[in-house]
């Protein structure tokens, strides 16, 4: 009932009273209720809600306890209320189960935030039973199957030495790198906290924990409410588990796992992207609450770590790497400045995608790619990178000592002196599919029936391990050491083979780095690759050196069903050839281009067995394949000839001043080179290619010559021309090869360790005597120069004698007295040019240039005199004493 309005604790209140009988307690009470008046505004109230709140409750009465104690008991209790809220305020420490407690029969799972596939963070592990703390920086990438830990050394190694520990689950290899000293150790992966065993592998074959497993997350967790952790409001999930063997050696009936996630609405300040569900802490408590592990997580970042983060290239020495460079042209409308400003970082990051795409067949670990470095020039950019060899074979296996194995299940057996040799053979058998099995394990058994000074072993190889095939183990089996693959995949391709795959991708135009954003698509296409044996540094003009694909670009495909006819070639002693199997097409073209013993213009290639043949047969022999006995029709073989323009050396902005015989009007330099090689009236050895501005279609004047130009910057026959280029054949074209023979006289001069083309050049421009021939020693790369020639009549008793290690080269375009042949008839196309024509043109150009210069000087003088008549404004220093 309403009593009236009063003042209670200085607060105007409405007073209500009630009389109540509580039969279950055999009690009677008079209860007074005090509620704040409507007009009262409390300082901690909520006036916007316009509600009255309870101020106090006073209970007076008695409880009849005569049945128990023989009398009644008086009751008078006062309940006063402060800071009353008209709702339930959700505080982190209210209405939630205590820390480290698991409540049975929980039903509310809640929605646990997802863990990204890649991330990094700093963890602090506190162990209360050992009174220790450890801090580690963690980088995790599920896509790369790699984890890195930055920590400090403990135990027997240098105390507190900074270590970088990298676990590569692509190859099953672990790396420990001392970041201060640079030391590196390579070890097989063990079953540690970040790995799990594959099903049915008895703990042998490992794989990386997925992101949820890495944070101990499964479907056994229940939502335990929100708590404050390090001042951060967190959603807490709790589970009861028994799988803590990887983290602790303590015994407990069970462990309580609690995972703290940042609540929605908060963002980690260190993260580059918003990730409100970041893990904050993991707490693990034993069932008796005496042991507690706390893993504090700081600076959680869901950004994918760069592959550079997992660089292990320093663990491999020079011979264990294949370093190379790949060059790229700039796409249209992109220059050096815009590339470095906008695209360079993107290209560096995306460079790994075409690398891994090309090598996908081999299961090659991304960590074997040496991090790229980019050098941009005005003409394009070069990416410097490389590949490491696979890790030492023995580190791909985990050893189990003293296992009884039934050796009858072995697929292959070899005698060996060490487990390292067995491991190498196991990986090799798998890489080359030897005996058509995948070697997943091997046994190393000591040979007891062989008398030897040193112990020998038998290696037995299996396409399974005893963990996946229990029949391998028998009670009365031979006691051996068993080695099982760490991971199920094989990363055992050699660095050279991997390099050839990348080289082939560049050669075929498949190595591209694509940039796409906001509808803009740009593709950076690789144009060349430079192996480790070449200097990949650009020259002063920014032009990169000749790489592997440049060799192949010197050749053109002539026919897809022809091969060299070796039986016919062997009948002709003047023709040489080479052959090799197991090489790529670009390696084949390089072998032909770099052949030391003879000039190679033709090669054939069979892509399945990768069979390469190259020969000294001249291009002229291949004008008609059907009637050519040096080639034979053969399916699967590809016949390539040197591209015509590659037969000439180019001198830009240069013209030769003598020897022009014929002028042609052509469309490009290739057409001019073709006309030179096809010229029948004389031996065309060089040509000048000059602009022809009067004709839009035929843009160039092609001037053919029978003269060679010595490759020398001081050659007086070469002069500067802004509108011309000069192309000259190699000196070797002046000589005819007689294979397997040498001259029977003493040489006038000898040169060591040189190529046949260099030898021909030296002979052509020898000033001490007229060099008419030379012998090239194939086995020693020596060059012997002669003044004699078997075609001359000047010297008697000159002949060739048989020598399988020598090739004889004789000047072909000399008459008996050593002078050049005269041209009998000259073919006229547009105009016949005599010797010195371009010299006259150059002189006229110089005269016209001088006249133009005089006019410019005269005009400049007039302008200067005119300026003298204008008023001049000058400035003076008021502080000057002069």
């Amino acid at each position: 009932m309403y009593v009236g309005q009063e003042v209670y604790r200085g607060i105007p209140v409405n007073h209500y009273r009630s009389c109540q009988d509580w039969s279950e307690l055999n009690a009677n009470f008079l209860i007074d209720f005090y509620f704040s008046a409507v007009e009262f505004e409390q300082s901690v109230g909520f006036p916007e809600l316009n509600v009255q709140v309870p101020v106090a409750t006073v209970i007076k009465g008695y409880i009849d306890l005569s049945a128990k104690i023989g009398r009644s008991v008086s009751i008078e209790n006062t309940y006063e209320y402060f800071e009353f809220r008209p709702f339930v305020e959700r505080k982190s420490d209210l209405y939630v189960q205590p820390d480290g407690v698991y409540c049975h029969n929980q039903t509310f799972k809640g929605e646990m935030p997802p863990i990204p596939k890649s991330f990094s963070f700093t963890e602090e592990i506190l162990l209360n039973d050992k009174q220790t703390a450890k801090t580690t920086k963690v980088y995790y990438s599920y896509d790369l199957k790699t984890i890195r830990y930055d920590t400090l050394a403990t135990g027997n190694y240098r105390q507190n030495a900074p270590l970088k520990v990298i676990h590569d689950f692509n190859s099953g290899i672990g790396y420990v790198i001392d970041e201060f000293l640079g030391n590196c150790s390579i070890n097989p992966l063990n079953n540690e906290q970040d790995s799990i065993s594959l099903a049915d592998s008895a703990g042998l074959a490992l794989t990386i924990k997925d992101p949820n497993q890495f944070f101990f997350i499964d479907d056994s967790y229940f939502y335990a409410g929100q708590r404050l952790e390090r001042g951060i409001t967190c959603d807490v999930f709790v589970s009861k588990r028994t799988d803590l063997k990887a983290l602790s050696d303590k015994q407990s009936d069970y462990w309580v796992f609690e995972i703290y996630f940042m609540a929605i609405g908060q963002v980690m300040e260190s993260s580059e992207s918003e990730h409100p569900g970041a893990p904050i802490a993991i707490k693990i408590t034993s069932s008796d609450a005496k042991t507690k592990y706390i893993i504090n997580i700081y600076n959680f970042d869901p950004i994918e770590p760069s592959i550079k983060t997992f660089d292990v290239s320093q663990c491999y020495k020079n011979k264990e790497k294949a370093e190379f460079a790949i060059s790229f042209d700039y796409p249209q409308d992109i220059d050096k400045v815009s590339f470095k400003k906008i695209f360079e970082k993107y290209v560096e990051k995306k460079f790994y995608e075409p690398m891994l795409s090309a090598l996908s067949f081999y299961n090659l670990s991304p960590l074997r790619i040496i991090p790229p470095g980019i050098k941009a020039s005005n003409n394009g950019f070069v990416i410097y990178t490389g590949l490491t060899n696979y890790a030492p074979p023995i580190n791909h296996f985990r050893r189990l000592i003293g296992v009884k194995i039934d050796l009858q299940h072995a697929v292959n057996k070899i005698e060996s002196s060490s487990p390292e040799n067995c491991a190498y053979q196991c990986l090799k058998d798998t890489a080359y599919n030897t005996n058509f099995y995948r070697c997943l394990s091997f046994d190393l058994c000591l040979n007891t029936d062989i008398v030897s000074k040193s112990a020998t072993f038998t290696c037995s190889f299996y396409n399974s391990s005893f963990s996946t095939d229990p029949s391998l183990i028998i009670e009365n089996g031979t006691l051996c050491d068993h080695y099982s693959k760490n991971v199920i995949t094989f990363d055992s391709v050699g660095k050279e083979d991997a390099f050839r795959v990348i080289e082939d991708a560049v050669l075929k135009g498949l190595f591209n780095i694509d940039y796409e954003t906001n509808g803009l698509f740009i593709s950076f296409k690789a144009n060349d690759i430079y192996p480790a044996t070449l200097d990949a540094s650009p020259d002063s003009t920014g032009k990169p050196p000749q790489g592997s694909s440049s060799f192949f670009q010197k050749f053109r495909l002539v026919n897809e069903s022809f091969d060299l006819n070796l039986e016919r070639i062997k009948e002709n002693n003047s023709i040489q050839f080479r052959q090799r199997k197991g090489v790529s097409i670009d390696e084949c073209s390089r072998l032909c281009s770099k052949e030391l013993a003879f000039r190679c213009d033709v090669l054939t290639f069979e892509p399945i067995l990768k069979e390469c043949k190259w020969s000294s047969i001249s291009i002229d022999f291949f004008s008609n394949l059907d009637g050519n006995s040096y080639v034979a029709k053969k399916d699967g073989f590809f016949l390539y000839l040197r591209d015509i323009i590659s037969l000439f050396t180019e001198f830009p902005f240069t013209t030769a001043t003598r020897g022009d015989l014929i002028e042609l009007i052509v469309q490009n330099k290739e057409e001019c080179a073709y006309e030179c090689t096809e010229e029948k009236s004389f031996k065309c050895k060089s040509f000048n290619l000059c602009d022809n501005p009067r004709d839009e279609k035929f843009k160039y004047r092609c001037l053919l010559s029978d003269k060679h130009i010595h490759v020398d910057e001081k050659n007086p026959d070469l002069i500067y021309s802004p509108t011309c280029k000069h192309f000259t054949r190699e000196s070797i074209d002046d000589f005819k090869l007689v294979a397997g023979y040498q001259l029977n006289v003493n040489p006038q001069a000898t040169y060591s360790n040189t190529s046949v083309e260099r030898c021909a050049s030296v002979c052509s421009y020898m000033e001490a005597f007229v060099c008419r021939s030379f012998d090239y020693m194939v086995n020693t790369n020596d060059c012997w120069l002669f003044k004699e020639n078997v075609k001359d009549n000047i010297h008697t008793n000159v002949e060739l004698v048989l020598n399988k290690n020598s090739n004889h080269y004789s000047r072909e375009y000399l008459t008996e007295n050593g002078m050049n042949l005269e041209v009998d008839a000259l073919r006229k196309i547009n105009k016949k040019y005599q010797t010195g024509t371009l010299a006259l043109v150059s002189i006229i150009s110089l005269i016209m240039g001088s006249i133009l210069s005089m006019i410019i000087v005269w005009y400049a003088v007039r302008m200067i005199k005119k300026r003298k008549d204008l008023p001049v404004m000058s400035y003076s220093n008021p502080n000057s004493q002069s």
Side-chain angles (χ1 to χ4, degrees), residues 645-660:
I645 196 64
S646 70
L647 301 177
F648 297 83
T649 300
E650 178 181 349
F651 294 82
F653 304 111
T654 305
T655 185
T657 60
R658 63 187 183 91
D660 306 322

Side-chain angles (χ1 to χ4, degrees), residues 631-800:
V631 294
K633 200 167 184 62
K634 196 170 184 180
D635 292 339
F637 280 80
F638 296 82
L639 175 66
Y640 294 88
L641 297 181
R642 267 189 193 264
D643 196 10
I644 292 177
I645 196 64
S646 70
L647 301 177
F648 297 83
T649 300
E650 178 181 349
F651 294 82
F653 304 111
T654 305
T655 185
T657 60
R658 63 187 183 91
D660 306 322
L661 299 175
I662 292 177
E663 178 185 0
L664 306 170
I665 305 301
V666 298
Q667 299 184 54
N668 50 52
K669 62 182 179 182
E670 287 78 13
E671 184 180 349
C672 191
Y674 176 79
E675 293 291 345
C676 184
T677 56
E678 292 295 312
E679 180 58 48
K680 305 299 183 184
S681 61
F682 64 94
K683 180 65 176 179
C684 179
K685 300 180 182 180
S686 64
F687 63 87
N688 293 311
L689 189 72
C690 301
D691 293 344
N692 181 34
R694 293 174 294 179
D695 194 324
E696 293 184 359
K697 182 178 180 181
F698 296 92
K699 298 181 179 180
Y700 301 98
R701 296 165 53 232
C702 172
L703 300 110
L704 307 184
S705 172
D706 65 344
K707 300 293 190 299
H708 268 307
I709 299 300
H710 185 26
V711 182
D712 187 349
E713 294 180 357
K714 298 181 180 180
N715 194 313
D717 294 327
L718 294 177
I719 64 173
Y720 171 76
S721 173
T723 61
C724 295
K725 299 177 183 178
H726 182 71
F727 295 81
T728 184
R729 276 183 177 270
E730 300 289 343
S731 299
I732 191 67
D733 291 327
D734 286 349
F735 294 82
K736 185 173 183 178
L737 167 65
V738 183
Y741 285 87
Q742 72 175 69
L743 212 59
N744 67 336
V745 295
N746 294 325
Q748 297 294 312
T750 61
Y751 291 87
S752 301
N753 194 25
T754 188
S755 67
V756 66
E757 292 181 341
R758 179 60 180 163
C759 188
S761 180
V762 172
C763 181
S764 298
Y765 301 102
M766 175 58 65
E767 297 180 354
F769 61 93
V770 177
C771 179
R772 293 179 172 85
S773 63
F774 67 88
D775 289 341
Y776 186 80
M777 301 301 160
V778 179
N779 57 338
T780 61
N781 297 335
D782 290 340
C783 171
W784 297 356
L785 304 182
F786 302 95
K787 62 182 180 180
E788 296 84 5
N789 189 311
V790 291
K791 292 187 175 184
D792 292 346
N793 294 328
I794 300 176
H795 303 92
T796 58
N797 300 323
V798 175
E799 61 181 358
L800 295 174

Side-chain angles (χ1 to χ4, degrees), residues 304-323:
E304 169 81 32
S306 167
I307 298 183
K308 278 188 174 183
T309 306
F310 308 107
D311 178 26
V312 296
S313 58
Q314 69 186 90
C315 297
Y316 296 88
K317 306 304 180 185
N318 292 336
K319 292 184 179 180
E320 298 170 326
K321 301 177 185 178
E323 296 180 283

Side-chain angles (χ1 to χ4, degrees), residues 211-277:
N212 283 338
Q213 293 167 339
F214 191 80
F215 286 101
F216 308 103
I217 296 174
D218 58 17
D219 59 358
S220 66
Y221 283 84
F222 292 91
Y223 183 64
Q226 287 191 335
R227 302 177 192 170
L228 280 175
E229 183 66 23
R230 306 199 311 267
I232 303 171
T233 302
C234 299
D235 290 312
V236 183
F237 295 82
V238 62
S239 174
K240 185 178 74 171
R241 304 174 61 159
T242 58
D243 54 345
L244 194 59
K245 296 180 180 179
L247 187 62
S248 173
D249 54 359
K250 295 288 184 180
Q251 298 297 322
S252 178
D253 294 338
Y254 62 86
W255 298 89
V256 177
F257 280 70
E258 297 168 292
I259 304 180
Y260 292 69
F261 291 94
M262 182 190 300
I264 302 298
Q266 301 185 72
V267 180
M268 294 291 284
E269 294 181 358
S270 61
S271 176
E272 296 181 13
S273 63
E274 185 171 324
H275 189 69

Side-chain angles (χ1 to χ4, degrees), residues 37 46 68 210 310 351 378 392 493 509 551 599 680 688 796 864:
F46 296 85
K68 294 183 178 180
D210 66 33
F310 308 107
F351 166 74
N378 293 330
V493 61
F551 294 123
R599 169 64 176 267
K680 305 299 183 184
N688 293 311
T796 58
I864 293 172

Side-chain angles (χ1 to χ4, degrees), residues 331-383:
Q332 188 175 1
D333 299 328
I334 295 178
D335 57 12
K336 177 181 178 181
V337 176
S338 60
F339 173 78
K340 292 184 70 66
K341 183 178 180 180
I342 302 174
F343 301 103
E344 184 172 15
K345 289 185 178 180
Y346 178 88
V347 167
E348 183 179 8
K349 179 180 179 181
K350 291 296 182 179
F351 166 74
Y352 293 93
E353 292 183 5
M355 289 282 287
L356 294 174
S357 176
L359 295 165
S360 58
F361 176 78
Y362 291 105
N363 294 315
L364 183 136
S365 170
L367 274 62
R368 289 181 55 187
I369 301 175
I370 298 175
I374 300 179
K375 185 173 183 179
S377 67
N378 293 330
N379 298 323
F381 63 94
V382 177
I383 296 181

Side-chain angles (χ1 to χ4, degrees), residues 417-614:
S417 59
S418 68
E420 287 77 12
N421 292 340
C422 298
Y424 171 78
Q425 188 66 40
C426 185
L427 295 182
K428 180 181 176 182
D429 284 357
T430 301
Y432 294 104
N433 204 24
T434 305
N435 299 328
F436 302 98
Y437 78 99
R438 295 177 72 239
C439 182
L440 292 175
S441 64
F442 66 88
D443 293 318
L444 188 72
C445 307
L446 180 65
N447 291 329
T448 57
D449 55 345
I450 297 179
V451 179
S452 176
K453 294 182 180 180
S454 59
T456 59
F457 302 89
T458 297
C459 291
S460 303
F461 302 100
Y462 307 90
N463 55 10
S464 60
S465 73
F466 75 84
S467 58
T468 57
D469 186 0
S471 64
L472 295 179
I473 304 176
I474 55 176
E475 284 297 324
N476 58 349
T478 305
L479 194 63
C480 306
D481 288 347
H482 183 76
Y483 292 80
S484 183
K485 277 283 277 113
N486 301 333
V487 293
I488 206 68
T489 55
F490 285 82
D491 177 18
S492 55
V493 61
K495 65 182 188 301
E496 294 85 3
D497 291 335
F499 168 72
R500 294 304 175 198
V501 172
I502 300 297
E503 191 177 42
D504 192 57
V506 173
L507 176 68
K508 294 177 178 178
L510 301 177
F511 198 101
N512 304 322
I513 302 175
D514 297 329
Y515 176 89
E516 186 173 7
T517 181
N518 299 326
L520 175 65
F521 180 83
I522 298 174
S523 184
F524 296 90
K525 300 181 181 296
N527 58 43
D528 211 345
I529 184 169
Y530 316 103
T533 55
L534 296 177
D535 180 12
S537 301
D539 60 21
S540 59
T541 66
K543 181 180 179 181
Q546 184 183 63
S548 296
S549 64
S550 295
F551 294 123
F552 181 69
Q553 290 169 2
K554 290 182 176 182
F555 294 82
R556 57 184 175 89
L557 179 63
V558 177
N559 195 284
E560 297 184 2
S561 301
F562 276 88
D563 188 20
L564 293 179
N565 186 352
L566 298 186
E567 293 183 0
R568 176 71 179 89
I569 290 175
K570 290 177 182 178
E571 296 174 357
N572 190 336
N573 292 332
S574 65
I575 300 178
Q576 286 198 314
F577 74 94
R578 301 274 192 271
Q579 60 182 345
R580 184 180 295 183
K581 292 184 179 181
V583 299
S584 62
I585 179 60
D586 44 295
E587 174 66 7
C588 183
S589 59
R590 188 185 72 83
L591 292 171
C592 180
S593 299
K594 293 298 183 180
E595 175 59 51
L596 293 176
F598 57 85
R599 169 64 176 267
C600 175
D601 288 335
V602 58
L603 64 89
T604 61
F605 184 75
E606 194 279 315
I608 296 178
L609 297 178
K610 298 183 177 181
E611 182 177 356
C612 172
K613 303 185 185 78
W614 63 102

